[in-house]
Amino acid sequence: MQLKDKWGIIYSGNDASWMAWATWIVSKYQHPDFPEQINKVPPPPIFDLFTARREPADIRLASQRSSLVGANQFAQHAKRKLDQVLDEFEIIKESVIRFESRLLSFKQFLQDSIDSFEEVALVQNITDNSLSTDLFEGIRHQEDIDHINI
């Protein structure tokens, strides 16, 4: 009996009660709907034929205790894993902070270099005038005596 196999741990009844439930399903539904109906609780007219199974208190408490122990062990294991991840995160966070400091320092170095280059460019911004052009044209074909031994 499929009904008794499925619901026997929850409901207690004699064989006639189980047969009445099965007969009720067969009389109300088509064959393809049987599995769906077997998975449903007994309907009101049949429900009164059954009583709920009761487990002894010590078995129920042992089951609950076992469940709590398992849940506690899982929670402790999860907490240890989370602590490990948090420790790794702290290491990464400290590395990122140090890396950010190095990047900011390098950025400041580049800005200082840019500022220096701009100052040098301002100082060297010499414009040609007629005197410098005349002097430059007069030094053509001069022998380089300063760099002879190089």
Side-chain angles (χ1 to χ4, degrees):
M1 295 192 121
Q2 293 179 11
L3 287 170
K4 192 172 185 178
D5 292 342
K6 168 106 175 121
W7 295 101
I9 59 171
I10 297 174
Y11 299 113
S12 176
N14 59 33
D15 287 341
S17 301
W18 293 105
M19 192 57 95
W21 188 1
T23 304
W24 186 86
I25 291 174
V26 170
S27 69
K28 297 282 187 189
Y29 298 98
Q30 299 294 323
H31 179 65
D33 294 331
F34 290 171
E36 181 181 323
Q37 295 307 314
I38 289 171
N39 288 326
K40 292 183 178 179
V41 296
I46 305 295
F47 189 78
D48 294 335
L49 301 175
F50 296 94
T51 57
R53 283 201 183 265
R54 302 257 186 240
E55 290 180 337
D58 57 339
I59 294 174
R60 204 173 25 225
L61 287 175
S63 174
Q64 289 175 350
R65 189 177 305 114
S66 175
S67 296
L68 287 174
V69 167
N72 186 28
Q73 288 173 343
F74 171 79
Q76 288 178 3
H77 176 74
K79 184 181 178 303
R80 283 192 302 272
K81 289 294 185 184
L82 180 60
D83 287 341
Q84 289 173 350
V85 171
L86 287 172
D87 289 345
E88 292 172 7
F89 174 75
E90 283 300 318
I91 292 168
I92 291 170
K93 185 172 105 177
E94 290 171 8
S95 294
V96 168
I97 290 170
R98 285 193 306 272
F99 188 66
E100 178 189 31
S101 175
R102 291 174 63 192
L103 285 174
L104 291 173
S105 176
F106 186 63
K107 180 181 177 183
Q108 186 60 49
F109 168 76
L110 289 175
Q111 186 59 52
D112 292 346
S113 297
I114 290 169
D115 293 345
S116 295
F117 294 144
E118 288 174 350
E119 288 177 18
V120 168
L122 286 175
V123 170
Q124 291 183 349
N125 192 12
I126 301 172
T127 57
D128 288 338
N129 57 39
S130 61
L131 176 62
S132 63
T133 305
D134 291 342
L135 289 174
F136 175 74
E137 292 198 9
I139 53 174
R140 286 191 209 178
H141 308 295
Q142 296 292 319
E143 188 176 329
D144 183 6
I145 57 171
D146 293 329
H147 302 100
I148 291 178
N149 292 331
I150 297 181

